Amino acid sequence: MTQFKRGIAVVSKPVSKKLSTILIALVIILQVSILIVEYLGSVWPIWYGKAVVLETQPIDPRSLFRGNYVRLNFDINRLEQDELMPDNLLKVGSVAYLQLKEFDGVWRPVKLSSQAPESGDFIRGRVREAYPSHYRLDYGIEAFFMPKEEALTLQNDVRSYSQFKVYISKSGKARVNSVLCIDENCTIPRN
Amino acid sequence: MRLINLLKKELVQEARDWVKEDIISREQANVILARYGQSLEQGQGKGAFGYYVLMSLAVFFAGLSLLLLVSENWNQIPRMLRMVGLLVLTLSSNGMGLFYFRRQNYRASVLWLLFGSISYGVSIMLIAQIYHLGEHFPDGIYWWALGVLPLVVATQSRLIAFLVAALAFIWMFVEAGLEFFPLSFPIFILVVGWLIFWHKTSNLLYLMVITGALIWLNLSVSWLVGGRIEYEVSTDMVLFNIGLGLIFNGFSWRLMSSHNSHWKSYGLVSHLWLLRASLITLFIFSFDDVWHEFQFVDYQAFWWSVTYLFVAGVAGLSLARRSGKHAYLPMTMIWLYFLISFSLLSLNQNLSFYLTLLTNIVLVVMGILLIRRGIHQVESHYFYTGVVTLLILAFIRYFDLIGGYLGGAALFLVAASILLGAARYWKKVQGDEQPDDINSVVESTQGGRDHDSI
């Protein structure tokens, strides 16, 4: 605590050296733990998930901290058809599960619900906009980071639609992995 | 509380010169400096401090370089190699920080820990980049700030506190920009506040804490008004902020009356900024269109807001009551002015003309009070703030007439009468002391001018 001597503030003693040393060591452990959790959360769907193919429109912006990326606007981000709508109205910010089914090599939406389906392929997302006519959801797969030139190439090559390989874990958590070329003249990098 | 408290380092330098020239003794200099929480011995290691500042900036720039290097997205280098490289850099930098800390070389320790903290943040961003994490990206900044936060407690370093505060601010803004509420922002503010109030001094961090608190409180109200789904700006928030200004001004006066010289400086800094903010607010309300808009716009909870303004004024005044009339007189006037003006809006009659007139009179009185304070305390800053307030008001009102030419002429006549009345009252109260005081103010600024011209 601050002590006073003849009206002058005497700045208090720092936290004891031993305690501070332990605290710094704990901070290092905390930082490494956060990085490990982030890493495992990132690779888990790729290691143990199922690969599906989704259609998207790419746009190229720049992140302040992470470099250039292609923003992916998947078909499943905006759900408008009545038959997809859930039984109850979903709130903005709530978790939602979208059932997917394969049609000609591409996975398309079947049904949106607030509960995880018991069987079949499904992806976990969060409601960003909720209207009686449509929903807008994010699935955590909307960014694809690339060097600037490659990002621009992708954007120019794929003016309308492209396909991306996405891994989905059993819980519905998804991770985007690679871009797929569906055109013979495609110059998009394939990693 | 005098403005010289913001020039303490300059005062120490002056005192050293006085001792060198045998004007005062070393003991006398230390007694004088003790009044401001300083001593002749302070700041002796200026060379080392300069080295530390330059090293800190070098670390900061190296960190930015690392961030941009990672942003280039080195696809040619295997993912694992990139990640392990940054992890090793983070661990080794922090390890060096811990090593120097144990050897009690605190400055070197802080510099290494600062670089380690930046490297840790870059690692978060790198993993997000490698695995294309499109999830809510402010989370990355949040975990960065949270992972560094305990170091503020462990090292009590202002440099690391600044990094945490800056990251917390960025996180708050991007979170709010994406229509989310930064609920845990106060944690960062509280830890930085703990550091600067009880362990270290920093006017910059103090301003960050106060500004952060004000922004967060505004976001909270806006979030609540929007039903905790989105931000909705309501007219009531103007009253909310006026109330906050009154409370913070009372808090500033309370700090200025404390025995702690660092707290005195903090109080003075926030008081000066609040004074400027209050004058700007009054100038905005001095236009007829503004009051006209406030008269007919919708309010969410009008009487609750007016009641809050009443309570906020009482709280602010009770905090400032022991600081004398310079503290509570302008505060009471501004409080009553806003309270009465907004209460009158409920009458559903077009009163914008009268409220504009009242605002202009309040500005005239504020100008007079500032001039009076400047002369009474021999502080040229307040004196000239008052003079400039009156001149700007005259300039604005000459072009933006209230009630046409005759109305404008009447307003200037009212202002002239108030100024004349104030001057006569002053002469009566001050008697013979007044010329000396005015001379002191003029001399103090004249001296500054002479010095500048040299």
Side-chain angles (χ1 to χ4, degrees):
Chain A
M1 290 293 288
T2 308
Q3 296 165 351
F4 298 100
K5 251 183 210 174
R6 291 182 201 161
I8 310 161
V10 180
V11 174
S12 61
K13 284 181 186 173
V15 180
S16 79
K17 190 191 157 196
K18 193 179 173 186
L19 200 67
S20 295
T21 308
I22 294 168
L23 197 54
I24 292 172
L26 286 174
V27 169
I28 296 171
I29 294 167
L30 172 78
Q31 289 186 358
V32 173
S33 308
I34 289 172
L35 291 175
I36 289 170
V37 168
E38 188 193 7
Y39 171 72
L40 288 178
S42 307
V43 294
W44 200 264
I46 298 171
W47 285 351
Y48 301 106
K50 179 183 177 178
V52 300
V53 176
L54 298 171
E55 279 192 339
T56 180
Q57 289 174 296
I59 314 159
D60 169 42
R62 183 197 161 197
S63 164
L64 196 63
F65 292 112
R66 299 168 295 175
N68 278 80
Y69 68 98
V70 178
R71 198 168 73 222
L72 304 176
N73 183 25
F74 288 96
D75 283 357
I76 58 170
N77 283 125
R78 187 184 163 96
L79 302 169
E80 289 188 89
Q81 291 161 325
D82 289 342
E83 58 266 30
L84 294 175
M85 290 293 115
D87 301 329
N88 302 315
L89 192 70
L90 297 173
K91 284 182 181 174
V92 172
S94 64
V95 172
Y97 297 87
L98 181 69
Q99 258 187 294
L100 298 167
K101 199 168 181 185
E102 188 193 350
F103 293 98
D104 297 329
V106 177
W107 273 252
R108 300 197 186 279
V110 177
K111 176 85 180 169
L112 184 66
S113 61
S114 57
Q115 301 294 322
E118 287 178 3
S119 61
D121 299 327
F122 63 91
I123 185 167
R124 185 177 181 272
R126 204 169 274 277
V127 179
R128 290 288 169 247
E129 290 173 15
Y131 295 101
S133 59
H134 73 272
Y135 281 100
R136 180 153 194 93
L137 287 96
D138 284 351
Y139 304 94
I141 52 172
E142 286 77 16
F144 194 77
F145 291 88
M146 306 175 96
K148 192 178 178 185
E149 291 72 26
E150 289 183 19
L152 287 169
T153 309
L154 177 60
Q155 194 190 346
N156 291 333
D157 276 14
V158 194
R159 286 274 176 215
S160 54
Y161 273 87
S162 64
Q163 293 177 347
F164 275 78
K165 190 193 270 185
V166 174
Y167 284 90
I168 303 174
S169 72
K170 282 180 182 171
S171 66
K173 191 171 183 179
R175 194 65 63 221
V176 63
N177 189 55
S178 55
V179 58
L180 299 173
C181 270
I182 49 175
D183 191 288
E184 283 179 7
N185 301 319
C186 170
T187 57
I188 302 165
R190 294 159 191 248
N191 59 338
Chain B
M1 180 66 188
R2 304 180 67 80
L3 294 170
I4 198 165
N5 280 279
L6 297 179
L7 302 165
K8 285 187 277 196
K9 286 193 170 52
E10 286 75 5
L11 185 67
V12 173
Q13 192 52 46
E14 283 291 306
R16 282 200 192 109
D17 289 345
W18 298 336
V19 172
K20 206 185 287 178
E21 291 166 23
D22 285 332
I23 298 170
I24 55 174
S25 69
R26 196 172 178 80
E27 289 69 34
Q28 284 172 323
N30 271 326
V31 170
I32 294 168
L33 291 174
R35 285 175 62 87
Y36 304 95
Q38 304 290 309
S39 73
L40 284 174
E41 286 69 38
Q42 255 159 346
Q44 292 283 24
K46 274 190 292 188
F49 180 71
Y51 171 77
Y52 181 63
V53 169
L54 289 174
M55 282 296 287
S56 309
L57 286 170
V59 168
F60 178 67
F61 277 89
L64 285 180
S65 163
L66 191 65
L67 205 55
L68 286 176
L69 202 67
V70 166
S71 293
E72 174 63 23
N73 201 329
W74 300 88
N75 266 351
Q76 306 87 338
I77 306 171
R79 288 173 169 182
M80 195 49 86
L81 192 64
R82 278 182 277 167
M83 223 183 64
V84 170
L86 260 180
L87 201 63
V88 168
L89 189 66
T90 306
L91 269 171
S92 54
S93 306
N94 280 328
M96 286 297 282
L98 187 59
F99 170 76
Y100 280 115
F101 191 86
R102 284 173 63 83
R103 295 188 67 167
Q104 299 190 339
N105 188 345
Y106 296 119
R107 284 189 169 173
S109 163
V110 164
L111 288 174
W112 277 108
L113 288 171
L114 178 71
F115 188 71
S117 299
I118 296 174
S119 176
Y120 157 69
V122 175
S123 303
I124 290 179
M125 300 306 160
L126 180 79
I127 295 172
Q129 185 199 66
I130 291 176
Y131 294 101
H132 312 292
L133 302 190
E135 274 117 341
H136 193 61
F137 90 91
D139 285 353
I141 306 166
Y142 175 75
W143 287 109
W144 185 356
L146 200 68
V148 182
L149 187 68
L151 283 180
V152 177
V153 180
T155 61
Q156 296 179 10
S157 156
R158 282 170 288 195
L159 208 55
I160 290 173
F162 178 76
L163 176 71
V164 168
L167 287 171
F169 263 81
I170 295 172
W171 172 69
M172 178 171 69
F173 286 126
V174 291
E175 189 83 344
L178 292 170
E179 293 284 320
F180 284 86
F181 181 60
L183 183 69
S184 45
F185 181 76
I187 296 171
F188 301 102
I189 288 299
L190 285 172
V191 173
V192 176
W194 164 82
L195 178 76
I196 57 160
F197 273 99
W198 282 282
H199 294 280
K200 292 283 170 71
T201 314
S202 168
N203 284 346
L204 176 68
L205 286 174
Y206 171 71
L207 277 177
M208 285 179 96
V209 166
I210 296 294
T211 314
L214 287 173
I215 294 171
W216 187 81
L217 285 170
N218 269 284
L219 287 174
S220 307
V221 173
S222 175
W223 185 250
L224 287 173
V225 172
R228 291 190 290 174
I229 294 171
E230 59 182 353
Y231 291 101
E232 198 177 312
V233 179
S234 155
T235 320
D236 306 64
M237 287 179 71
V238 174
L239 280 89
F240 175 69
N241 278 299
I242 293 168
L244 274 185
L246 289 166
I247 295 170
F248 268 99
N249 198 38
F251 175 66
S252 303
W253 278 107
R254 192 57 169 255
L255 285 179
M256 282 192 276
S257 64
S258 77
H259 296 296
N260 185 322
S261 67
H262 304 314
W263 291 13
K264 277 175 191 264
S265 298
Y266 293 157
L268 186 59
V269 167
S270 50
H271 170 67
L272 285 177
W273 280 102
L274 283 165
L275 175 67
R276 287 160 196 160
S278 65
L279 287 172
I280 291 167
T281 310
L282 282 172
F283 273 117
I284 292 168
F285 277 100
S286 75
F287 290 90
D288 186 57
D289 292 347
V290 176
W291 276 116
H292 194 264
E293 212 159 292
F294 271 91
Q295 177 98 54
F296 298 107
V297 82
D298 287 333
Y299 292 83
Q300 292 276 341
F302 180 78
W303 284 111
W304 278 114
S305 302
V306 173
T307 310
Y308 154 78
L309 189 60
F310 176 79
V311 175
V314 172
L317 282 169
S318 63
L319 281 168
R321 73 179 189 282
R322 66 178 184 196
S323 300
K325 57 189 172 191
H326 288 310
Y328 62 75
L329 217 60
M331 259 182 89
T332 310
M333 185 183 67
I334 288 181
W335 173 51
L336 289 176
Y337 152 73
F338 277 116
L339 202 60
I340 292 166
S341 302
F342 276 99
S343 301
L344 285 173
L345 289 182
S346 65
L347 294 176
N348 279 331
Q349 289 172 10
N350 192 355
L351 297 169
S352 60
F353 171 77
Y354 300 103
L355 294 175
T356 311
L357 200 65
L358 178 65
T359 313
N360 282 273
I361 292 168
V362 168
L363 267 167
V364 172
V365 178
M366 271 293 279
I368 294 169
L369 287 175
L370 282 168
I371 292 171
R372 182 185 180 280
R373 184 177 171 190
I375 293 172
H376 188 254
Q377 294 185 341
V378 199
E379 298 255 24
S380 53
H381 176 81
Y382 297 117
F383 178 81
Y384 285 114
T385 305
V387 171
V388 168
T389 302
L390 292 176
L391 288 177
I392 290 175
L393 183 66
F395 182 77
I396 291 174
R397 287 291 79 87
Y398 194 79
F399 289 99
D400 182 73
L401 297 170
I402 301 171
Y405 289 111
L406 289 178
L411 178 68
F412 274 112
L413 206 62
V414 171
S417 310
I418 294 171
L419 283 163
L420 272 171
R424 286 183 71 82
Y425 171 75
W426 204 332
K427 192 178 177 186
K428 190 178 160 192
V429 173
Q430 297 277 313
D432 293 335
E433 287 174 30
Q434 191 184 20
D436 290 344
D437 285 346
I438 292 171
N439 285 339
S440 337
V441 174
V442 174
E443 274 167 19
S444 69
T445 50
Q446 194 72 46
R449 257 207 310 275
D450 288 343
H451 180 75
D452 289 344
S453 64
I454 291 165

